[in-house]
Amino acid sequence: MGSAIPYVSNQLFKFICAIMALLKPVHGDYLIGVGSYDMTGPAAEVNMMGYANMDQITAGVHFRLRARAFIVAESAQGERFAFVNLDAGMASQLVTIKVLEKLKSRYGDLYKEENIAISGTHTHAGPGGYLQYVVYSITSLGDLENAGINRSPSAYLFNPAEERARFPNNVDTLMTLLKFVDEESNKSIGAFSWFATHGTSMSRENKLISGDNKGAAARFFEDWFRTNNSKRNRNLVKTAETIKATGGQLCNQTTSKAFKVRKTDGSQFVGAFCQSNVGDVSPNVLGAFCLDTGKPCDFNHSSCGGNDQFCVGRGPGYPDEVLSTKIIGERQFEKAVELFNTATEEITGKIDYRHVYLDFTDLEVRSDNNSLVKTCPAALGPGFAAGTTDGPGAFGFQQGDTKINGFWKILRNSLREPSQYQVDCQRPKTVLLDTGEMFDPYAWAPAILPIQILRLGNLIILSVPGGTQPIPNSLSPPDLSSNQISLLLQPSGDSTPPGINFGDVKQDVVTPKGGSFNRGERATAAFWSGNPRNDAFTEGTFAVVERLEGENWIPTYDDDDFCLYFKWRVDNSTVPLPELNQLRNHRMGDTKNSSSWCIPI
């Protein structure tokens, strides 16, 4: 899990430096830089973050993850801030620490904790291992009303009636869009929008890296700006049939980038879909149903006959999760385009920011009845273990549980029995896992958290968990990078069966009856390749489809496209048992020196 940290922080550092070079004046006398960069990470054998499903291991790419950012400054030497939106489960304290260290080494105090914000879209289909706490590593305005529902409506009803009466829905349907326009050309260079819906259109069984519905919306928005007027020859069946396997060739970052369909030239439009107050908002808008009966789940407990494992939410494309991802992404994209085309309110005014670290384990808070209460160390309750309708949790739990059975108590106490202080402090919530008091081998949960506000004229961006005025203190989060343990083995040694080379075709495309594919049909081919963990191919590609235009083959789709999947799996079916055991026992050393393979098409 520690191996992903330097990768993420190095990429973000280079990314922010590149955006700084693009700073240019736009309306309102601001300097604006926008950018987008590949942050896909390991495409095989790494646990995904979000569902806490130990079996959900990366095994390919649905479409690539990206970091999208804007930097805004009053002038070359004036106040500025940077906002980075990641196709990731969440931002990371440790990644932020490492990025700031690198920025300071190059730019001094120009960027610091106060004026750089890193946010995650909350996709549940990205690699984990970049957060430093144990519990994360084990496992214009407009309404948009059809992209999210409340997945815990019974819990929402416990809110006071007068509070619920203030809102027309039990979810926030507001989308806010910020549009950037170049002053010289009067053309837009990007747009960032904020809307609340979970990145759980792809299920807990999915093993393809994916930006989920927000990543899809960003892809659709950016493609909307791309033009392609070239004529295409569709009579390619006979030509395609003459192509034979080449046996593969050594491939590196440069070779991989040459195949990319979307090549970044510094003028690319950036369309980011950021997460807002997502809470319990689910993109599975058809509701939750029982797998065994097909009937709606129990309203109060999100279970089926007492079993939470059978209660699963359905997206609008059910049973096709990729179609659901596409539909929810399109709905956000379409609303963003509407807001983009009608945006008229120009932002002017001061750039400012506030940031403070607070210890959330012992804060005094004044409640609605004016009584003084305190926060507690972090703890997970039975509701966490029950999961949600987007991804059911462990057996033996239901939503709304207030008790823990004997088996789970014994298991809990073997890790850490909660102190009496914690039990009293957390009441009426039952403590299932006392993460705030667990420090072996290092802290399981953060205690010191940031509160941040960014101001761009009359636009205010609040970073979770909230906002305040400056509070002087000397708190800072710990840097646990030296304590990180890795539960991830190095990639196994790559080998092919006798007589087979890397790049050889294992299964060619099967041409349908009639000799050609119709729109919507899927073509599949399999090749022998090395382990994708040997090379992330950042800003490159694992797979590409080319189209014949005249006498030239032109890259048309790659693994960053929504319609092309790259899947990877180990095939030991043709390896003799002695060699198989040797492969299992073999582990490669420094992966930076290892080779990976690509296939020219």
Side-chain angles (χ1 to χ4, degrees):
M1 66 190 178
S3 61
I5 293 168
Y7 172 83
V8 175
S9 61
N10 284 336
Q11 297 306 322
L12 285 184
F13 167 66
K14 295 175 183 176
F15 175 42
I16 293 172
C17 292
I19 295 178
M20 286 190 63
L22 300 175
L23 286 175
K24 57 195 305 185
V26 295
H27 287 303
D29 294 326
Y30 296 122
L31 293 173
I32 296 287
V34 299
S36 173
Y37 202 75
D38 184 1
M39 52 160 286
T40 302
E45 301 179 332
V46 174
N47 191 246
M48 289 182 171
M49 182 190 173
Y51 286 114
N53 177 13
M54 298 291 286
D55 294 327
Q56 192 183 20
I57 308 295
T58 58
V61 178
H62 175 206
F63 60 95
R64 286 188 167 257
L65 308 182
R66 301 197 72 81
R68 296 174 173 88
F70 69 86
I71 298 175
V72 57
E74 290 179 353
S75 64
Q77 302 301 323
E79 294 291 357
R80 66 177 60 202
F81 69 77
F83 182 88
V84 185
N85 188 57
L86 307 178
D87 283 338
M90 61 182 70
S92 162
Q93 239 175 42
L94 186 54
V95 169
T96 302
I97 289 171
K98 296 305 180 184
V99 168
L100 286 170
E101 286 179 359
K102 293 177 179 294
L103 289 173
K104 184 176 180 62
S105 68
R106 179 174 295 191
Y107 300 109
D109 293 330
L110 191 62
Y111 292 99
K112 43 194 178 294
E113 293 165 331
E114 289 85 347
N115 68 345
I116 183 168
I118 302 177
S119 175
T121 62
H122 206 39
T123 176
H124 284 37
Y130 60 94
L131 292 106
Q132 67 173 343
Y133 295 99
V134 175
V135 76
Y136 299 120
S137 299
I138 292 184
T139 60
S140 359
L141 303 181
D143 279 354
L144 178 56
E145 298 184 349
N146 57 353
I149 62 170
N150 194 312
R151 65 187 181 191
S152 300
S154 60
Y156 178 80
L157 294 177
F158 280 96
N159 290 318
E162 60 271 19
E163 180 179 324
R164 287 184 276 118
R166 293 167 53 196
F167 307 102
N169 301 291
N170 62 4
V171 295
D172 189 353
T173 59
L174 193 68
M175 176 181 279
T176 303
L177 182 134
L178 178 62
K179 178 179 179 179
F180 299 109
V181 180
D182 184 280
E183 186 174 41
E184 296 176 358
S185 64
N186 200 34
K187 292 182 179 180
S188 178
I189 59 174
F192 282 59
S193 64
W194 286 263
F195 176 74
T197 194
H198 256 81
T200 51
S201 294
M202 301 292 283
S203 73
R204 69 194 302 268
E205 275 71 47
N206 162 63
K207 295 187 177 181
L208 298 182
I209 291 176
S210 174
D212 212 277
N213 56 69
K214 287 193 177 293
R219 166 59 63 233
F220 301 152
F221 201 4
E222 291 169 349
D223 284 353
W224 184 60
F225 275 80
R226 296 176 64 234
T227 58
N228 189 346
N229 299 317
S230 59
K231 295 181 180 180
R232 293 176 171 177
N233 179 8
R234 297 182 178 275
N235 187 22
L236 302 176
V237 177
K238 291 184 178 179
T239 303
E241 288 176 346
T242 65
I243 300 174
K244 303 300 180 183
T246 64
Q249 64 181 22
L250 282 174
C251 189
N252 55 34
Q253 296 278 352
T254 304
T255 315
S256 176
K257 289 178 182 179
F259 290 124
K260 286 294 290 184
V261 174
R262 298 173 181 84
K263 294 181 172 63
T264 304
D265 59 2
S267 61
Q268 178 181 343
F269 176 88
V270 178
F273 286 73
C274 312
Q275 193 59 269
S276 61
N277 50 322
V278 64
D280 247 335
V281 184
S282 169
N284 296 312
V285 294
L286 297 186
F289 295 84
C290 296
L291 297 177
D292 53 348
T293 66
K295 295 180 179 179
C297 302
D298 177 85
F299 180 76
N300 291 313
H301 299 287
S302 297
S303 62
C304 303
N307 190 333
D308 69 304
Q309 300 289 297
F310 289 170
C311 178
V312 179
R314 294 179 180 178
Y318 175 83
D320 187 338
E321 62 185 20
V322 174
L323 180 58
S324 293
T325 301
K326 179 176 182 288
I327 292 172
I328 297 297
E330 284 178 337
R331 289 174 181 176
Q332 294 176 78
F333 152 67
E334 289 165 358
K335 174 58 66 172
V337 169
E338 177 187 328
L339 298 178
F340 180 86
N341 287 331
T342 58
T344 56
E345 181 181 355
E346 184 174 329
I347 289 179
T348 59
K350 183 176 176 57
I351 290 176
D352 204 354
Y353 40 83
R354 295 289 185 269
H355 179 283
V356 66
Y357 283 112
L358 293 177
D359 185 343
F360 273 72
T361 63
D362 190 26
L363 286 178
E364 290 188 342
V365 180
R366 194 163 296 280
S367 65
D368 290 340
N369 62 9
N370 210 34
S371 61
L372 201 62
V373 294
K374 283 189 174 183
T375 60
C376 319
L380 300 175
F384 164 80
T388 70
T389 55
D390 291 345
F395 72 93
F397 293 94
Q398 297 184 75
Q399 291 296 330
D401 281 350
T402 58
K403 296 182 179 180
I404 306 171
N405 65 38
F407 169 79
W408 287 107
K409 277 189 177 180
I410 293 172
L411 186 60
R412 174 198 69 181
N413 293 345
S414 68
L415 294 171
R416 160 82 190 196
E417 184 174 0
S419 66
Q420 190 60 49
Y421 170 82
Q422 179 77 312
V423 171
D424 295 338
C425 188
Q426 290 286 346
R427 191 175 285 119
K429 183 176 84 173
T430 307
V431 178
L432 172 65
L433 197 60
D434 189 14
T435 55
E437 295 184 322
M438 297 170 70
F439 303 98
D440 186 18
Y442 46 90
W444 280 54
I448 299 171
L449 297 170
I451 293 177
Q452 188 173 26
I453 298 178
L454 303 176
R455 176 185 176 186
L456 176 55
N458 52 333
L459 175 72
I460 303 295
I461 301 174
L462 304 179
S463 292
V464 173
T468 183
Q469 296 311 312
I471 301 177
N473 61 32
S474 58
L475 287 177
S476 61
D479 181 347
L480 300 176
S481 56
S482 61
N483 299 326
Q484 297 291 294
I485 59 174
S486 178
L487 305 177
L488 188 64
L489 296 175
Q490 291 294 327
S492 57
D494 292 325
S495 180
T496 58
I500 293 178
N501 298 316
F502 285 115
D504 283 355
V505 176
K506 186 176 189 294
Q507 179 183 326
D508 209 341
V509 174
V510 178
T511 306
K513 190 176 181 179
S516 62
F517 289 91
N518 296 319
R519 181 180 294 272
E521 291 182 330
R522 182 174 297 172
T524 303
F527 303 86
W528 291 97
S529 75
N531 191 320
R533 278 182 58 208
N534 290 322
D535 194 331
F537 283 162
T538 303
E539 285 294 347
T541 185
F542 286 109
V544 65
V545 173
E546 297 183 340
R547 182 188 295 273
L548 185 63
E549 295 188 1
E551 297 181 353
N552 300 315
W553 287 95
I554 307 298
T556 307
Y557 302 107
D558 59 35
D559 67 8
D560 206 11
D561 281 282
F562 202 81
C563 60
L564 176 62
Y565 309 160
F566 165 69
K567 297 183 179 181
W568 181 84
R569 67 181 177 89
V570 175
D571 186 347
N572 293 322
S573 59
T574 58
V575 182
L577 185 59
E579 292 185 27
L580 178 59
N581 291 333
Q582 185 179 3
L583 286 173
R584 287 173 174 167
N585 294 330
H586 177 64
R587 290 292 179 266
M588 296 181 70
D590 185 358
T591 58
K592 292 184 293 186
N593 296 326
S594 63
S595 299
S596 55
W597 301 77
C598 72
I599 304 139
I601 296 180

